[in-house]
C-alpha cells in the first residue's frame, strides 16, 4: 500500500493550500480515509476524515476552514485548506483505515509519507 501526499508549501496567514493523496495497492473505495498533522515537538493529531460512504468529520479548530474530498474513481483524497493560520503549521499525513473512521493515530492501518505546510504570520 502506498499513500503519496503532496501539495504542501509555504503560505501566508489567511491563504489557502490544497493537499492531495494518491493511493495505490488497496481497494480505495472500501477504506475510510483521513488527514492527520504533527507540529514540531507535538503529538500527531487528527484533522479530518471521510468514510467510504462519504461521511465527513473535522477537528473543531478547522471546521469551516478545511474541506475533505475523496474521488474513488481516481483513488485520491484531498484536503482544501482555507484561511490558514500559523497554528496550522505542521507535517500533514494522509491515512487509511479499513474498519473505522480514523480519528486517532492508533486506528490507522496505513500512513502516507507526509507533506509540510508552513503558515507564516
Amino acid at each position: 500500500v502506498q499513500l503519496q501526499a503532496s501539495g504542501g508549501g509555504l503560505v501566508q496567514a489567511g491563504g489557502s493550500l490544497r493537499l492531495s493523496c494518491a493511493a495505490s495497492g488497496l481497494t480505495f473505495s472500501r477504506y475510510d480515509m483521513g488527514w492527520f498533522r504533527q507540529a514540531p515537538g507535538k503529538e500527531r493529531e487528527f484533522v479530518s476524515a471521510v468514510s467510504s460512504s462519504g461521511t465527513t468529520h473535522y477537528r473543531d479548530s478547522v471546521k469551516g476552514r478545511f474541506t475533505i474530498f475523496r474521488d474513488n474513481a481516481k483513488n485520491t483524497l484531498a484536503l482544501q485548506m482555507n484561511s490558514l493560520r500559523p497554528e496550522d503549521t505542521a507535517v500533514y499525513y494522509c491515512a487509511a483505515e479499513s474498519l473505522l473512521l480514523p480519528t486517532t493515530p492508533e486506528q490507522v492501518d496505513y500512513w502516507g509519507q507526509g507533506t509540510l505546510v508552513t503558515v507564516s504570520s
Side-chain angles (χ1 to χ4, degrees):
V1 173
Q2 284 196 330
L3 302 175
Q4 186 72 33
S6 62
L10 174 63
V11 64
Q12 289 188 330
S16 298
L17 282 175
R18 186 179 179 97
L19 305 183
S20 295
C21 176
S24 60
L26 76 170
T27 305
F28 182 79
S29 61
R30 295 182 182 176
Y31 277 76
D32 294 342
M33 301 295 296
W35 291 97
F36 289 75
R37 66 188 180 188
Q38 188 166 17
K42 295 189 176 181
E43 298 290 319
R44 192 168 296 189
E45 64 182 18
F46 167 76
V47 175
S48 180
V50 57
S51 72
S52 57
S53 62
T55 301
T56 58
H57 186 55
Y58 300 91
R59 72 179 297 110
D60 286 346
S61 64
V62 308
K63 286 180 180 177
R65 300 190 297 123
F66 291 11
T67 306
I68 192 169
F69 301 93
R70 67 184 299 157
D71 185 335
N72 290 338
K74 297 182 178 179
N75 288 3
T76 58
L77 178 73
L79 185 68
Q80 178 66 41
M81 306 186 295
N82 298 329
S83 302
L84 282 161
R85 304 168 180 170
E87 55 264 38
D88 295 319
T89 295
V91 177
Y92 283 71
Y93 299 88
C94 62
E97 159 59 39
S98 61
L99 296 177
L100 299 171
L101 200 63
T103 57
T104 66
E106 294 74 24
Q107 294 172 318
V108 174
D109 290 336
Y110 303 107
W111 291 103
Q113 88 288 3
T115 185
L116 177 62
V117 172
T118 304
V119 184
S120 63
S121 57

